[in-house]
Amino acid sequence: MNNHLMRAFVLTAPGKYAVQEVPAPVAAPGEAVVDVERVGVCGTDMEFFTGAMAYLHQGHSSYPMRLGHEWCGRVVSVGDGVDPVWVGRRVMGDTMLGCGVCRRCRRGHQHVCEKRQELGIRGERPGALAEQLAVPVSSLHVLPDSVDAVLGALVEPGGNALRAARAAAARPGDRALVLGPGTIGLLVAMFLRAAGTEVHLMGRADNSPAFARELGFAHVWTEDSVPDLPFDAVVDASNAVRLPALALETVEPGGRVVYVGLAGGPSRIDTRTLALKDVTAVGILSASPGLDDTIRAYADGSVDPGPLVAAVVGLDEVGPVLAGERPVGAGPGPKIHVDPRTG
């Protein structure tokens, strides 16, 4: 019996939370227990905080729950059937945990498995906003020394962005427009830039355009200032209901639109426009197929997302962050990280 306790952030109802002492995890067969070093807070976590997340209403998730799916840490123990060589390794983990036996999983599409668990999101698999975390060892990806805790906790959102950038199929010299310069949008822009694409970003007239320029993106616009240029690809990384249609209207005939952002309500496009412009549209869910290549891009420095992190807080400060408060002294970046080892 495990008598060891640890601290964890527990969301008990919309807007209700507590940092609790809970039983520390014990590695089941096929699992590893990880000391969590860093966790990213994302928009999905905020939707659970407000109660708006669709999974709550579809029966896939319920309170109380432990959030946190963008994480990294170090393996401290393993269960039966796991090679002990894993102990001591620095790792991050795939959020999507498929059943492993269905047709989709057998075809390598575990991230869309009908019975999947999503760490800290779906299926009652506790998330990483805790001092320790238990995960299937099959979901782990090893981090090299050059990928520190900040970068390690950015691999998961980076995998989504890498897949979106690749789906844009932009070649060197092509021009791409990214809608929504939040964490995912800026990561998409970084991967596109690394591939030699001329990158344009469109955001609201707040501090986002200024921060994007600080990251070296010269072509940053608001909706009413986007130049009349041919965009070979448009990536919608926003949460605005109307922008998927704008992406389709804006892209060049024969180009590609990529949808990686999710709006709070149905977002609609006119498929007549899609067909008459001979446009390819791609939807992106999950970082799973892009995790290893994201780690390599961070390790070799071709993409450096570190400046996106505005602040690192402790578990006691997670609630206000989920409520939309910026930590005191936070920088201009869109991402807040949590170190569960601190207060």
Side-chain angles (χ1 to χ4, degrees):
M1 182 175 177
N2 177 32
N3 295 317
H4 178 54
L5 296 177
M6 67 172 184
R7 298 176 79 239
F9 178 86
V10 182
L11 188 62
T12 56
K16 305 292 184 183
Y17 59 88
V19 177
Q20 299 179 358
E21 296 278 336
V22 301
V26 175
E31 288 188 344
V33 170
V34 177
D35 276 347
V36 181
E37 295 178 345
R38 197 64 53 86
V39 190
V41 176
C42 93
T44 299
D45 301 320
M46 291 180 170
E47 286 190 357
F48 277 117
F49 184 82
T50 64
M53 175 58 180
Y55 282 176
L56 291 167
H57 310 288
Q58 296 166 350
H60 296 308
S61 309
S62 61
Y63 304 109
M65 62 187 304
R66 298 220 304 262
L67 302 172
H69 60 278
E70 303 175 359
W71 64 273
C72 68
R74 190 178 297 274
V75 176
V76 292
S77 65
V78 295
D80 291 344
V82 178
D83 191 332
V85 74
W86 279 98
V87 176
R89 285 178 172 173
R90 291 186 58 251
V91 295
M92 63 76 57
D94 195 343
T95 299
M96 304 300 210
L97 308 175
C99 71
V101 297
C102 71
R103 182 177 186 270
R104 294 175 191 172
C105 286
R106 295 197 311 270
R107 293 165 71 92
H109 298 154
Q110 93 282 349
H111 59 292
V112 287
C113 168
E114 188 69 27
K115 299 178 181 178
R116 70 183 181 274
Q117 294 182 320
E118 297 180 27
L119 188 87
I121 297 175
R122 167 176 165 150
E124 299 182 355
R125 170 70 72 161
L129 282 173
E131 292 176 318
Q132 290 189 323
L133 174 71
V135 289
V137 74
S138 59
S139 70
L140 296 179
H141 296 253
V142 176
L143 298 176
D145 291 341
S146 55
V147 178
D148 64 12
V150 172
L151 299 182
L154 285 166
V155 171
E156 200 278 341
N160 281 278
L162 171 65
R163 293 189 63 218
R166 287 183 171 172
R171 298 163 295 189
D174 280 1
R175 182 182 293 113
L177 175 65
V178 179
L179 309 180
T183 298
I184 296 296
L186 289 170
L187 283 165
V188 171
M190 289 178 175
F191 281 109
L192 286 169
R193 179 171 61 185
T197 305
E198 179 187 310
V199 180
H200 294 244
L201 291 122
M202 189 195 89
R204 299 187 305 268
D206 52 19
N207 66 341
S208 297
F211 179 64
R213 291 189 184 96
E214 289 180 20
L215 296 175
F217 294 104
H219 309 297
V220 186
W221 317 102
T222 57
E223 187 170 347
D224 58 0
S225 70
V226 175
D228 185 15
L229 293 170
F231 292 104
D232 303 293
V234 179
V235 180
D236 175 29
S238 77
N239 59 4
V241 170
R242 58 190 177 75
L243 289 190
L246 180 66
L248 180 56
E249 293 165 10
T250 305
V251 73
E252 272 286 278
R256 296 172 75 90
V257 290
V258 181
Y259 297 114
V260 66
L262 292 174
S267 51
R268 307 187 185 280
I269 62 171
D270 189 335
T271 57
R272 295 171 298 182
T273 305
L274 188 76
L276 292 170
K277 293 180 73 170
D278 197 32
V279 165
T280 301
V282 183
I284 298 294
L285 173 73
S286 163
S288 302
L291 293 173
D292 286 333
D293 285 345
T294 299
I295 292 170
R296 280 189 282 270
Y298 291 178
D300 66 24
S302 56
V303 171
D304 177 14
L308 300 182
V309 178
V312 181
V313 302
L315 288 175
D316 292 330
E317 299 171 82
V318 171
V321 168
L322 290 173
E325 294 182 22
R326 297 282 289 182
V328 175
K335 178 63 69 175
I336 305 298
H337 273 178
V338 180
D339 183 345
R341 301 167 296 184
T342 62

